């Protein structure tokens, strides 16, 4: 078996929230991510979908070691990076990068685009200043912006152009793994399609593996090889993209799919919105399942959360 580019094993994150209505009330535990295991193979794009608040961003940030998991393991390219201190983590930082929906805050307004893109090379002490600048300009070109953009500043860019710059900056260290957290959610439809095509192109070209986080199922369908569906901090279904879209087994996945806008109104099925309690109650009952909800393989590579029934 090939070594996964990224592997998450039983990741959990419990946030401590101050208890309401008291200075001395202590904290309550808010489990945002509960026992999430994911495998991102090399050269693949894995979609992580689910409604707002389901725990996608928390999972992506833990995968990049940008926040600490409460428990579980993170492996990059076969190396367990979970417990590494900042110095030991630094060489792995080169291998993993993240792009956000709101990249504006990530782009220093005082720096030219050339410097913004070259900065990771500078931080890791790679190449001379001249080589760093040249690589940044070459990458600007690669992400579809003219080299002249190198002298510009972030405020001069459109949303789509800023996202191209953020992608260039993320890729200049030639990472193995890219986490893209809703990278197209703030963009117009036509710009969205351009950024998706760019990501696909770069993924193939650079041998990247992408964890693509999105609540936009039509984008996920066109981009990913495999999909994991998150609900309430857990993975409730995971399968090859065509199986998720053609043969969803979990009621939560089915509900998400029924909410996708369709072009022809006559094809529109009635929307089904289930409450969290209804979804929990509707957890599939399968012979092989345990007494508490857990993932069961219902077809090769197709796992669904189920309980014994
Ligand atoms: P998603 O990206 O799917 O919208 P998030 O990972 O952002 O979900 O959030 C998952 C849950 O964790 C939500 O209930 C959210 O309110 C909570 N959460 C996220 N970040 C924090 C934080 N820093 N402190 C406390 N709770 C948080
Ligand atoms: Mg999010």
């Amino acid at each position: 078996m090939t070594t996964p580019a990224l592997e998450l094993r039983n990741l959990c994150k419990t946030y401590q929230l101050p208890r309401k209505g008291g200075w001395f009330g202590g904290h309550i535990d808010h489990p945002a991510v509960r026992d999430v295991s994911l495998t991102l193979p090399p050269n693949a794009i894995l979609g992580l979908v689910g409604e707002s608040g389901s725990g996608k961003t928390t999972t992506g940030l833990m995968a990049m070691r940008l926040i600490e998991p409460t428990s579980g393991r993170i492996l990059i390219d076969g190396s367990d990076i979970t417990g590494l201190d900042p110095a030991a983590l630094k060489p792995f930082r080169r291998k993993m990068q993240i792009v956000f929906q709101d990249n504006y805050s990530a782009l220093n307004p005082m720096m030219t685009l050339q410097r913004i893109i070259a900065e990771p090379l500078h931080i890791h002490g790679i190449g001379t200043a001249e080589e760093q600048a040249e690589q940044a300009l070459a990458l600007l070109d690669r992400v579809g912006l003219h080299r002249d953009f190198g002298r510009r500043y972030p405020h001069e860019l459109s949303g789509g152009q800023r996202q191209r710059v953020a992608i260039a900056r993320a890729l200049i260290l030639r990472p193995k793994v890219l986490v893209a957290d809703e990278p197209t959610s703030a963009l117009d439809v036509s710009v969205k399609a351009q950024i998706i095509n760019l990501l696909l192109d770069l993924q193939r070209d650079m041998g990247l593996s992408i964890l693509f986080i999105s609540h936009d199922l039509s984008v996920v369908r066109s981009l990913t090889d495999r999909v994991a569906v998150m609900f309430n901090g857990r993975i409730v279904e995971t399968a090859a993209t065509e199986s998720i879209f053609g043969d969803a087994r979990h009621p939560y996945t089915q509900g998400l799919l029924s909410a996708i806008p369709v072009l022809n109104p006559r094809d529109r099925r009635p929307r089904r919105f289930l409450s969290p309690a209804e979804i929990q109650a509707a957890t599939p009952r399968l012979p092989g399942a345990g007494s508490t909800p857990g993932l069961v393989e219902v077809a090769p590579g197709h796992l669904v959360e189920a309980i014994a029934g």
Side-chain angles (χ1 to χ4, degrees), residues 45-72:
I45 307 185
L46 171 66
L48 184 59
V49 306
E51 285 165 301
S52 172
S54 55
K56 306 182 298 298
T57 293
T58 302
T59 301
L61 291 174
M62 285 194 287
M64 297 288 98
R65 283 281 320 263
L66 292 172
I67 58 173
E68 290 307 310
T70 307
S71 61

Side-chain angles (χ1 to χ4, degrees), residues 13 30 48 173 199 201 266:
K13 179 69 181 182
H30 176 58
L48 184 59
L173 292 170
L199 278 174
D201 200 30
R266 278 161 62 203

Side-chain angles (χ1 to χ4, degrees), residues 72-93:
R73 318 292 318 167
I74 303 147
L75 287 83
I76 295 279
D77 212 6
S79 302
D80 189 333
I81 62 160
T82 322
L84 299 184
D85 62 31
L89 194 59
K90 196 172 177 190
F92 291 98
R93 289 255 173 254

Side-chain angles (χ1 to χ4, degrees), residues 56-57 181-182 213:
K56 306 182 298 298
T57 293
D181 189 356
E182 311 265 8
I213 297 174

